Amino acid sequence: MDVNQPLFIRSLAKPGAGVFAMLFTLDSIGRAIISTVLSLQAYDLYRDAFGQAESRPWVSASFLLTSFVSLLFNLVSPSFIHAFRRRWFYLGGIILGIIAVFLLATNTIPGQISGMICRAISAAACRIALLLYIMDYIPRHQLVKSEPLRLALSCIAWGLGPLLGVVLYAEHGSIAPAMISAASYVVLIVYFLYLRLRDDPALVPPGNALKQFRNPLRNIRHFIEQKRLVLAWTIAFGRSAWWSMFFVYPALYLTDHHVDQFYAGLVVGIGNALLITAPIIGMVAQRIGIRAPLVYGLFFGGIVTLAIPFFYDYPLIVSILLLFGASAIIVLDALGNIPFMRFVRVRERNQMSPIFQTYIDFSDLAPSTIYTLLLLQFDFRAVFLTSGLLTILAGIVATYLPKRL
């Protein structure tokens, strides 16, 4: 490597915080560009098929099915990792992401459902593999620096992606955001192959241990028996449950209130652009620890979400409250995975990481089930109220984190 190259370029060639931030950013571009389009397109398809009122529970039910399939994949993924190795597991996830966006671009209900499922499996595979690589290459004491960097670098993707996706969808249909998403995944494949990241052979359990860890039920039981891992999972669940609400229901709420879809994408985009503050959050956490930011972030995010039903007929105020909530939950994005990374045993990473990642599926599955049932009788106020309560409950759990963490 040329030592005269800029430091930024060198940091993207050697495995470290910069490399994993770039891998996450490229993956984020592929997912963010269709994140809001996903719910809007589903809403349009179901509205045309079943009518406006009946379309709401159908949208929730689609996300519910997607989360359930993704959950099952997470539980069996250790077997795939050991059978194909992490490298091919990661590449397979990326390729499935490309397939997903073109299934969605068919603009049909079967294409919508199958595309959502493929996208969820792709995201799960990429998240699990990247988490394992990060824990292999980044020392635990540097996670407070590296995790905020990873989130900050992706802020452009999550800040502009949802808005750009909505604009392209409105003007050119679903094929336009699909093409940009696919291009990002292709660049990600090329960059990943260039890096030649390798598995740590010391982390692959031999013989009988390997057979034991291939049993999903044993993995779950072993995870639950470790209270600190359950604590880390619950905190991550609270964060992800709020974001799963934010990516779907504000856009539907604004559309339902006859607000242009452009503004729905703008709200989601601005909320994600707040990721730029992640390095500042990391610097604060280095001084005071991660416990207080996690606790207060969850409490504040929950409280402002609970306030939304009181201003339900005022989309501008609701949008502002959602952005205040996003600014609080960003703290969890910057620091929320660190408890697990510090608590998990080194030789159990391959087995416990997929179980930990189920927080994402449960955060879609459990709330979506509740939202689907509530929307049969109530409007979107019930969604915001439930989301706020779940977030506050996660904040209460976070108070049990070690004070010196």
Side-chain angles (χ1 to χ4, degrees):
M1 185 187 305
D2 187 357
V3 295
N4 294 321
Q5 288 181 334
L7 178 61
F8 175 74
I9 299 298
R10 296 202 304 271
S11 70
L12 297 181
K14 182 179 179 180
V19 160
F20 298 122
M22 182 56 68
L23 289 172
F24 182 71
T25 298
L26 291 171
D27 179 37
S28 295
I29 293 172
R31 289 189 290 121
I33 198 74
I34 61 171
S35 60
T36 304
V37 171
L38 201 66
S39 57
L40 291 175
Q41 180 173 290
Y43 190 61
D44 290 341
L45 288 172
Y46 290 129
R47 182 184 58 200
D48 293 342
F50 306 112
Q52 180 168 329
E54 289 77 9
S55 65
R56 298 170 186 169
W58 276 102
V59 172
S60 290
S62 296
F63 281 96
L64 181 65
L65 173 64
T66 301
S67 301
F68 181 73
V69 174
S70 179
L71 173 62
L72 293 179
F73 175 78
N74 270 283
L75 295 178
V76 301
S77 59
S79 296
F80 288 106
I81 294 173
H82 290 305
F84 301 106
R85 296 300 185 186
R86 190 186 309 163
R87 177 185 183 86
W88 299 109
F89 181 76
Y90 189 44
L91 285 171
I94 301 170
I95 293 171
L96 196 60
I98 298 174
I99 295 172
V101 295
F102 286 114
L103 285 171
L104 292 168
T106 62
N107 205 32
T108 62
I109 291 179
Q112 178 76 20
I113 296 174
S114 58
M116 289 173 67
I117 291 173
C118 289
R119 180 178 181 269
I121 295 175
S122 166
C126 292
R127 284 193 304 264
I128 292 169
L130 188 61
L131 178 64
L132 291 170
Y133 279 125
I134 289 172
M135 289 190 291
D136 280 358
Y137 285 94
I138 304 295
R140 293 186 180 187
H141 67 275
Q142 293 183 10
L143 291 172
V144 176
K145 293 182 180 179
S146 66
E147 283 297 282
L149 174 64
R150 181 168 66 90
L151 271 298
L153 194 58
S154 69
C155 74
I156 297 177
W158 288 110
L160 298 179
L163 174 60
L164 178 60
V166 169
V167 172
L168 292 173
Y169 173 67
E171 295 185 359
H172 304 287
S174 55
I175 188 62
M179 292 298 295
I180 295 179
S181 178
S184 175
Y185 282 129
V186 170
V187 175
L188 176 57
I189 291 175
V190 173
Y191 182 51
F192 176 72
L193 292 175
Y194 162 77
L195 292 171
R196 298 183 179 180
L197 298 177
R198 299 184 181 275
D199 297 5
D200 186 347
L203 300 181
V204 180
N208 293 332
L210 179 57
K211 293 180 181 179
Q212 174 180 341
F213 281 130
R214 282 179 174 170
N215 186 327
L217 295 179
R218 288 183 181 270
N219 286 336
I220 295 171
R221 186 178 67 181
H222 190 62
F223 189 97
I224 293 174
E225 288 173 350
Q226 302 181 62
K227 294 181 179 180
R228 286 193 168 189
L229 295 187
V230 175
L231 177 60
W233 184 95
T234 305
I235 294 169
F237 168 84
R239 173 195 92 204
S240 186
W242 194 91
W243 281 122
S244 69
M245 176 278 296
F246 184 76
F247 277 116
V248 176
Y249 294 97
L252 300 183
Y253 158 80
L254 291 172
T255 301
D256 203 43
H257 281 67
H258 309 292
V259 177
D260 191 277
Q261 290 183 345
F262 171 83
Y263 294 101
L266 183 63
V267 170
V268 176
I270 294 174
N272 286 292
L274 296 172
L275 289 168
I276 194 66
T277 62
I280 299 174
I281 296 168
M283 288 188 290
V284 172
Q286 290 177 58
R287 290 180 173 272
I288 67 173
I290 68 173
R291 181 180 180 274
L294 292 177
V295 171
Y296 290 118
L298 286 166
F299 274 119
F300 184 77
I303 290 170
V304 296
T305 307
L306 284 176
I308 289 175
F310 296 100
F311 303 94
Y312 188 73
D313 294 326
Y314 304 93
L316 178 60
I317 297 177
V318 169
S319 299
I320 293 172
L321 288 172
L322 285 166
L323 293 178
F324 274 120
S327 67
I329 304 301
I330 290 295
V331 175
L332 279 297
D333 279 328
L335 308 173
N337 286 347
I338 294 177
F340 170 78
M341 293 178 176
R342 289 184 175 175
F343 293 155
V344 67
R345 296 165 184 165
V346 174
R347 289 188 62 83
E348 295 178 358
R349 287 174 179 172
N350 281 355
Q351 293 72 42
M352 295 298 99
S353 293
I355 304 301
F356 172 70
Q357 289 290 333
T358 61
Y359 76 82
I360 296 175
D361 305 305
F362 273 105
S363 69
D364 291 329
L365 192 62
S368 291
T369 302
I370 299 172
Y371 300 157
T372 300
L373 295 174
L374 289 174
L375 289 174
L376 293 173
Q377 297 294 330
F378 306 104
D379 57 27
F380 292 119
R381 273 176 282 212
V383 171
F384 297 126
L385 180 63
T386 305
S387 176
L389 290 173
L390 286 173
T391 307
I392 289 176
L393 286 174
I396 294 173
V397 173
T399 61
Y400 289 93
L401 282 170
K403 293 183 178 181
R404 295 186 178 181
L405 186 64

